Amino acid sequence: NPIKALDYLDKGGKYLDEAVKLDSKNPAIRLLRLENGIEVSRTSPVKRYSVVADDVDFLMETDMTGWDGVLKAEVYLFCGYFQTDAGDLDTALDLFDSAIEAAPNSEPGKSAQKMIDKYPALSQVLRTVPSKSSSSSGKSILAEYCLSLRNAT
């Protein structure tokens, strides 16, 4: 029953939100909500991007010194997915590079490499475009094109 499934998605999101509320400084809970929010937003009518944007900010500001490389790669990968979906492909590609650097042979590292491989020529173009302030319209056009490629696959 689709209505019941949407209700479960909503309830699950509320449980994760409550967990973050109870322990807002816990990176594991933030990462869990981010992963869930990205997958739910991509695969259902329920969109949690506005909620998980806070998790992306939190995780990117967290000192990951001493963390396992695979865990770092997972954080970078899902923050990269968020940035891809938000249309900031330049930042997403940098995050995917960081995921690969953190743990190249891990599942998150391999997934990040697949994302970079989707846009080989465009990633080179994006990386040669000067600052956002001087050419934001060019980046926007390229980002829209890249998103259309991602959605086509």
Side-chain angles (χ1 to χ4, degrees):
N1 177 347
I3 301 298
K4 194 168 190 169
L6 287 174
D7 185 49
Y8 286 135
L9 286 175
D10 186 53
K11 284 181 184 175
K14 287 179 181 173
Y15 285 130
L16 286 169
D17 295 343
E18 185 63 26
V20 168
K21 206 181 275 187
L22 292 171
D23 194 3
S24 65
K25 303 281 189 228
N26 186 328
I29 294 172
R30 294 294 194 120
L31 180 57
L32 179 63
R33 183 170 75 169
L34 173 61
E35 291 178 0
N36 174 269
I38 293 294
E39 294 303 323
V40 166
S41 297
R42 285 180 164 188
T43 60
S44 80
V46 177
K47 303 301 176 208
R48 298 208 20 101
Y49 292 115
S50 62
V51 174
V52 299
D54 185 50
D55 299 326
V56 171
D57 292 341
F58 173 84
L59 290 165
M60 289 293 87
E61 292 172 5
T62 298
D63 180 11
M64 291 189 266
T65 304
W67 286 23
D68 175 71
V70 175
L71 184 57
K72 286 181 191 178
E74 193 169 345
V75 168
Y76 292 131
L77 175 67
F78 276 87
C79 289
Y81 287 156
F82 175 85
Q83 296 300 340
T84 300
D85 293 352
D88 187 352
L89 213 27
D90 193 35
T91 300
L93 290 168
D94 288 342
L95 288 164
F96 296 143
D97 281 338
S98 296
I100 294 164
E101 185 178 315
N105 296 317
S106 68
E107 286 307 311
K110 290 175 184 175
S111 293
Q113 185 62 57
K114 286 179 185 174
M115 291 301 292
I116 288 175
D117 291 345
K118 281 186 175 185
Y119 316 110
L122 290 174
S123 68
Q124 292 303 316
V125 171
L126 280 171
R127 288 155 193 254
T128 60
V129 172
S131 73
K132 289 184 179 184
S133 61
S134 63
S135 63
S136 61
S137 62
K139 282 191 177 187
S140 297
I141 293 166
L142 289 171
E144 286 176 28
Y145 177 70
C146 290
L147 286 172
S148 72
L149 287 175
R150 181 182 64 79
N151 291 333
T153 57

